[in-house]
Amino acid sequence: DAEITQSPRHKITETGRQVTLACHQTWNHNNMFWYRQDLGHGLRLIHYSYGVQDTNKGEVSDGYSVSRSNTEDLPLTLESAASSQTSVYFCASSDSGASSYNEQFFGPGTRLTVL
Amino acid sequence: AQTVTQSQPEMSVQEAETVTLSCTYDTSESDYYLFWYKQPPSRQMILVIRQEAYKQQNATENRFSVNFQKAAKSFSLKISDSQLGDAAMYFCAYRSARGASTPLVFGKGTRLSVIA
């Protein structure tokens, strides 16, 4: 069955370190998204991509970067981790097909703690 | 920019009773989609119900239904015959219909407790 996976599921790191969170989907979806979830804020958009070599900034993109070298993966990199980036991170993907909804399918999330 | 507001941070309901979660949104667009997502303690995001703005008929999925008031920009979720498994965080979300798959804009969520 097609799925979307994230790794690691939990990570603890130190301030200033570079961290990369992986997202892999086997749906063959063109569109991929990264959101962060914080108490009192819901989910907020970090970056998104509509295809290979395409990336776009979201509402809270400062301190994060993404690159899309193939259809299946959209890794999220924190260049220099800060305590304010302690959060739960969700990756999602969706198709661009004929279905008007083009539902987003979410990964299980990664809990990141920056000490 | 679009915004989504969930004014009830927490709600509770007795098992087998009905509860309504509120959601309002702000947009200048006429065509869009609205969603309710459920997030249980496992953290998994589960799509509960969805609505297209151009459809006047309210969406229904088993015990879940919505009251979509386009003019008032309101999209409430009604859960009937509440079950213990309904206890979760519920998020209302908006998606523009401008593109094939624009990002979602979420509300801050409502935590629902179900009392046995």
Side-chain angles (χ1 to χ4, degrees):
Chain A
D1 288 344
E3 60 179 355
I4 178 166
T5 57
Q6 294 183 234
S7 62
R9 295 292 311 277
H10 300 88
K11 178 144 182 92
I12 300 174
T13 191
E14 294 177 344
T15 301
R17 290 190 180 269
Q18 183 182 77
V19 176
T20 296
L21 308 183
C23 175
H24 179 79
Q25 52 97 3
T26 58
W27 295 95
N28 199 35
H29 285 162
N30 289 326
N31 313 308
M32 296 185 73
F33 309 85
W34 275 104
Y35 299 89
R36 61 176 286 175
Q37 181 180 5
D38 305 287
L39 194 63
H41 289 279
L43 280 78
R44 293 178 291 175
L45 181 68
I46 306 172
H47 281 286
Y48 59 104
S49 168
Y50 288 144
V52 176
Q53 302 301 327
D54 175 76
T55 60
N56 304 279
K57 293 182 178 181
E59 176 190 357
V60 291
S61 61
D62 286 349
Y64 303 94
S65 64
V66 294
S67 63
R68 187 93 179 268
S69 58
N70 58 53
T71 300
E72 297 80 15
D73 300 288
L74 186 69
L76 178 70
T77 298
L78 288 68
E79 301 294 343
S80 177
S83 57
S84 60
Q85 295 176 308
T86 293
S87 186
V88 178
Y89 292 85
F90 286 96
C91 180
S93 72
S94 69
D95 199 3
S96 300
S99 169
S100 58
Y101 285 113
N102 289 321
E103 177 182 347
Q104 288 190 20
F105 295 88
F106 283 81
T110 293
R111 180 179 294 277
L112 176 68
T113 301
V114 183
L115 301 176
Chain B
Q2 296 82 21
T3 59
V4 176
T5 301
Q6 294 180 248
S7 59
Q8 306 152 317
E10 296 182 349
M11 293 279 287
S12 63
V13 62
Q14 293 279 350
E15 197 175 5
E17 296 296 309
T18 296
V19 64
T20 298
L21 308 185
S22 300
C23 173
T24 58
Y25 57 94
D26 187 28
T27 183
S28 59
E29 299 177 329
S30 60
D31 197 14
Y32 47 87
Y33 306 100
L34 296 165
F35 306 86
W36 278 98
Y37 281 87
K38 173 185 178 181
Q39 186 183 47
S42 67
R43 283 205 314 248
Q44 185 65 47
M45 294 291 287
I46 302 166
L47 180 62
V48 174
I49 199 165
R50 54 195 182 191
Q51 175 84 39
E52 291 171 293
Y54 68 84
K55 290 186 176 179
Q56 292 187 335
Q57 186 173 4
N58 289 324
T60 299
E61 289 286 344
N62 300 314
R63 297 182 295 107
F64 298 87
S65 61
V66 297
N67 183 5
F68 174 49
Q69 301 290 328
K70 190 172 184 179
K73 296 180 182 176
S74 171
F75 183 62
S76 60
L77 174 70
K78 186 172 81 170
I79 306 174
S80 303
D81 186 25
S82 296
Q83 300 175 0
L84 295 177
D86 295 333
M89 196 76 169
Y90 286 83
F91 292 99
C92 180
Y94 170 103
R95 185 171 82 73
S96 170
R98 281 183 291 111
S101 190
T102 49
L104 292 164
V105 177
F106 287 89
K108 294 182 178 181
T110 296
R111 183 172 300 282
L112 178 66
S113 301
V114 180
I115 303 166

